[in-house]
Amino acid sequence: DLKDTDVERFAAKKPRPVSLHSCLHEFARPAELAAFLHDEIPVRFAERIRWIEQVPEWKEIPELVDAHLKHMASFSYMRKADPKEPVKFQGSLQRILKRQDNMVELMSHAMQRLRSVRGGQDFDGFSNKFLDNFLLNRLGCNLLMTHYLAIAHPGRHTIGIIDPQCDAVEVCREAAQDVQNACRDFLGRAPPLEVQGFSQGAPTAGFAPRFAYIPGILSFIVRELLKNSFRATLDLETDLADLENRPVQIIVCADEDHVMIRISDRAQGIPIDVGTRVWSYMYTTSKKASPLSGYGVGLPLSRLHARYLGGSLQLVSLPGFGTDAYLSLPRVDTQMVEVVPDCDEHESVEYSFTV
Ligand code: W6P
């Protein structure tokens, strides 16, 4: 069995973020990616293990104990895996990924319990930073492992999970179709929706910007934003004629360096008392989970997906009118580098557990 010192040894190493460019070239070759993952995944898991251990008296929080156990198991699993045996290595990655399945839910429940039993000053500030770091680390690991599994089964034009010619308008259209269908199934109707592409140098609409990207990331973000816009629009309980005056609009545009996507709704904006809590993992507008709401972490998680390769996500609320979401993504694969949180001392040590 592996000793704690092994985790410590790996926690002391710096994570090595990779670029989308290298995932399309050196790390599109299974042997090279396997060797990298065998070294790198334990470093990133050790970081998460240390962050859990830095929460004062973490052993009293059952969800943290559970998460710690799962990460220790995955850490030693990866250490024992043989990157030179592709089929076995794939199996190991599948098991590690499976163990991460409910990790977002588990960790947000951990923070909810921590808040309810300990409280303390600025708890939400602490827990949001903790979850941003923890879940961004997880996102990078999961995507790299999924990329490895995907390069073993080449698609028609994708390389692993990357589409070198990703059509952002097409991804938005597909996401919109699915969310509209879910909305109609679940709430009986959906707001009208329009998707338009523009590109610098092309004076009219209908020009689709293409770029090398992970379509799954873009699709995830657009779906989450649309779910929010649709839900807010239908929550107004307008009649059908009025609904026609509240279209949701998606604009996709690009220059050489960026792809920008604006999603606009006419749902009267974000209520003033909600404010920046839209970015909180601890806050949700829906009482129970549904296909259109999940469990309330969609927006902070979407922002992490945007940030992962150097992009950003912002919301602008126009009071009484509607909400604009701005998603900005870098367009050049050499400029798209993973953001991997690397803090030696997690700020949880400074967090005061006053009751
Ligand atoms: C709203 C609230 C919201 C959050 C995120 C994205 C869009 C919207 N629209 O009314």
Side-chain angles (χ1 to χ4, degrees):
D1 252 12
L2 289 148
K3 298 187 191 81
D4 278 354
T5 53
D6 210 26
V7 175
E8 278 164 33
R9 194 161 63 78
F10 276 84
K13 296 190 193 187
K14 290 248 174 263
R16 287 170 294 169
V18 305
S19 69
L20 198 72
H21 183 84
S22 59
C23 285
L24 282 167
H25 297 91
E26 54 179 315
F27 293 150
R29 294 188 284 273
E32 269 152 286
L33 183 57
F36 177 77
L37 292 176
H38 184 245
D39 263 358
E40 180 68 8
I41 295 295
V43 174
R44 299 193 194 184
F45 271 82
E47 200 170 25
R48 274 186 256 167
I49 290 167
R50 192 187 49 192
W51 289 338
I52 291 174
E53 291 171 353
Q54 283 174 354
V55 173
E57 291 162 67
W58 62 274
K59 286 181 182 164
E60 289 171 9
I61 309 296
E63 290 84 356
L64 287 181
V65 173
D66 188 10
H68 188 268
L69 263 173
K70 287 184 163 132
H71 281 83
M72 290 297 279
S74 294
F75 177 90
S76 54
Y77 222 81
M78 195 53 155
R79 292 280 297 125
K80 283 184 237 161
D82 182 357
K84 294 198 173 70
E85 296 265 359
V87 177
K88 278 194 202 160
F89 197 68
Q90 284 171 30
S92 306
L93 293 193
Q94 273 157 352
R95 277 192 70 168
I96 292 170
L97 280 165
K98 191 98 195 101
R99 225 183 253 120
Q100 285 288 321
D101 261 359
N102 68 342
M103 198 50 68
V104 176
E105 209 172 353
L106 184 61
M107 289 306 290
S108 50
H109 285 159
M111 289 297 134
Q112 266 150 19
R113 187 185 301 278
L114 198 56
R115 177 173 63 178
S116 70
V117 301
R118 306 260 179 86
Q121 285 176 341
D122 192 29
F123 183 84
D124 287 9
F126 155 76
S127 66
N128 277 312
K129 240 177 269 168
F130 185 96
L131 289 176
D132 271 348
N133 288 335
F134 195 94
L135 298 176
L136 191 53
N137 175 314
R138 171 186 178 271
L139 180 61
C141 290
N142 284 9
L143 286 171
L144 288 175
M145 289 189 283
T146 309
H147 184 58
Y148 178 84
L149 294 174
I151 46 181
H153 310 280
R156 260 173 312 178
H157 53 269
T158 51
I159 296 173
I161 56 171
I162 304 165
D163 182 349
Q165 294 285 325
C166 178
D167 179 339
V169 173
E170 193 50 38
V171 172
C172 288
R173 287 222 171 88
E174 273 174 30
Q177 270 298 329
D178 288 352
V179 179
Q180 266 189 318
N181 289 338
C183 195
R184 290 196 183 106
D185 287 351
F186 193 71
L187 299 172
R189 54 197 187 138
L193 182 121
E194 179 186 67
V195 185
Q196 281 181 290
F198 297 83
S199 204
Q200 205 176 56
T204 50
F207 199 93
R210 290 178 178 273
F211 67 138
Y213 201 65
I214 301 168
I217 295 186
L218 180 54
S219 177
F220 177 89
I221 300 169
V222 171
R223 278 164 210 266
E224 285 304 322
L225 293 171
L226 283 177
K227 283 191 258 178
N228 278 278
S229 285
F230 281 15
R231 209 153 44 87
T233 304
L234 294 177
D235 276 353
L236 297 174
E237 293 186 17
T238 56
D239 57 31
L240 272 179
D242 186 50
L243 193 60
E244 289 308 306
N245 295 324
R246 300 181 184 281
V248 173
Q249 183 196 41
I250 305 182
I251 298 289
V252 181
C253 59
D255 64 10
E256 283 159 22
D257 292 333
H258 296 93
V259 174
M260 291 269 288
I261 298 175
R262 185 188 71 186
I263 302 182
S264 308
D265 67 50
R266 301 274 309 260
Q268 299 184 0
I270 299 167
I272 201 85
D273 59 309
V274 175
T276 57
R277 277 187 299 167
V278 289
W279 299 116
S280 168
Y281 293 93
M282 314 292 277
Y283 172 80
T284 174
T285 48
S286 60
K287 300 279 178 294
K288 54 179 183 199
S290 83
L292 286 179
S293 66
Y295 40 94
V297 296
L299 287 175
L301 213 51
S302 294
R303 189 168 62 173
L304 288 188
H305 280 70
R307 286 176 178 167
Y308 171 62
L309 288 172
S312 67
L313 175 61
Q314 286 163 307
L315 291 176
V316 174
S317 169
L318 306 164
F321 182 79
T323 303
D324 285 348
Y326 295 91
L327 171 64
S328 172
L329 303 172
R331 197 180 182 182
V332 183
D333 63 4
T334 49
Q335 288 171 11
M336 293 188 217
V337 181
E338 287 184 295
V339 176
V340 184
D342 178 23
C343 36
D344 292 334
E345 283 288 296
H346 208 278
E347 284 169 43
S348 62
V349 265
E350 284 171 34
Y351 158 65
S352 62
F353 283 102
T354 51
V355 183

